[in-house]
Amino acid sequence: MKTIAIAAAAAASLIATAASAQQATTPQNPGPQIPGVCVYHNARLFAQSSVGQAVETRMQQLAQEVQTELQPYATALQTEAQQLQTSGSTLQPDELNRRRQALQQRAQEAQQLEATRENELRYTLAMQRQAITEAVSPILVQVYQERGCGLMLDRESVFMMNPAHDVTDLVIQRLNTALPTLSFNRMAVPAQQQQQPAAAN
């Protein structure tokens, strides 16, 4: 079962780019501040805001719940496969074939359930990110206007800069007030979105 690895990677993606950016060396002379230029780091907002951290924690909990749900299936399939391997030579060909087919069917059902849960975790994370993005958008507009920004750049695209251009801390502070947390459970993927991959092939 690979669900936990995938879910953990999804949650970790909230902070991966932010962690690498934080390791960048700051020059001793950052250069002049350019009027009207602002820089915003979205990945750091997801990693350091209270709501971003709440989403990460909750996604880890949901991943653990999925692991708990799926583990009995994996254990039962492994046990049945071992029993079939041990007693296969004593079974009649028809019985051996029947049990092999039944085991294969149960394995396919378990894989289908696992895939469903993986998609639900991905969809749930995407919906929480969307909620955070919707909450931060008016804050960005407000900060843009207050700071007199003529240009707001994505921190991921800026190699070095004068730290005075960075408005991320201010945006995080205001998001922490506007949306301190999110409460959610694992969400089912809407039927129309489940059909999209098939339609694309």
Side-chain angles (χ1 to χ4, degrees):
M1 299 286 177
K2 60 182 186 247
T3 301
I4 294 310
I6 291 176
S13 67
L14 286 168
I15 62 172
T17 53
S20 61
Q22 290 297 310
Q23 295 174 358
T25 302
T26 302
Q28 293 182 352
N29 179 11
Q33 183 177 1
I34 304 173
V37 174
C38 300
V39 178
Y40 165 65
H41 196 182
N42 193 57
R44 186 157 71 85
L45 175 130
F46 275 96
Q48 297 181 0
S49 65
S50 60
V51 67
Q53 293 173 351
V55 168
E56 180 187 0
T57 298
R58 182 58 178 151
M59 287 303 302
Q60 291 173 350
Q61 293 171 348
L62 294 177
Q64 182 59 49
E65 290 177 6
V66 169
Q67 182 185 39
T68 301
E69 177 187 9
L70 295 178
Q71 188 58 47
Y73 292 90
T75 301
L77 288 170
Q78 183 178 11
T79 300
E80 175 64 19
Q82 290 174 345
Q83 292 176 348
L84 196 58
Q85 184 176 14
T86 301
S87 60
S89 59
T90 65
L91 297 174
Q92 294 295 323
D94 289 346
E95 175 65 11
L96 179 61
N97 186 54
R98 184 191 68 79
R99 290 182 60 176
R100 283 176 174 170
Q101 289 179 345
L103 178 61
Q104 183 177 12
Q105 177 65 29
R106 288 196 296 273
Q108 290 174 347
E109 292 171 353
Q111 291 172 352
Q112 184 176 5
L113 177 61
E114 181 182 19
T116 297
R117 294 293 181 260
E118 290 173 359
N119 289 335
E120 289 172 349
L121 289 172
R122 289 192 182 100
Y123 178 73
T124 301
L125 178 60
M127 290 298 97
Q128 308 321 306
R129 285 177 165 171
Q130 179 178 323
I132 294 174
T133 299
E134 291 174 355
V136 81
S137 292
I139 296 174
L140 283 173
V141 172
Q142 185 183 49
V143 170
Y144 181 94
Q145 294 172 339
E146 290 176 0
R147 288 292 184 94
C149 303
L151 177 68
M152 182 172 285
L153 300 173
D154 181 358
R155 181 65 181 88
E156 297 293 332
S157 303
V158 177
F159 184 64
M160 290 186 187
M161 67 173 184
N162 185 317
H165 290 297
D166 196 335
V167 299
T168 308
D169 286 338
L170 178 59
V171 176
I172 291 174
Q173 180 183 8
R174 294 187 180 183
L175 180 63
N176 286 345
T177 300
L179 187 68
T181 190
L182 282 171
S183 299
F184 58 94
N185 293 313
R186 191 178 70 243
M187 304 170 66
V189 181
Q192 60 270 25
Q193 294 198 22
Q194 292 178 359
Q195 296 170 0
Q196 285 179 356
N201 291 337

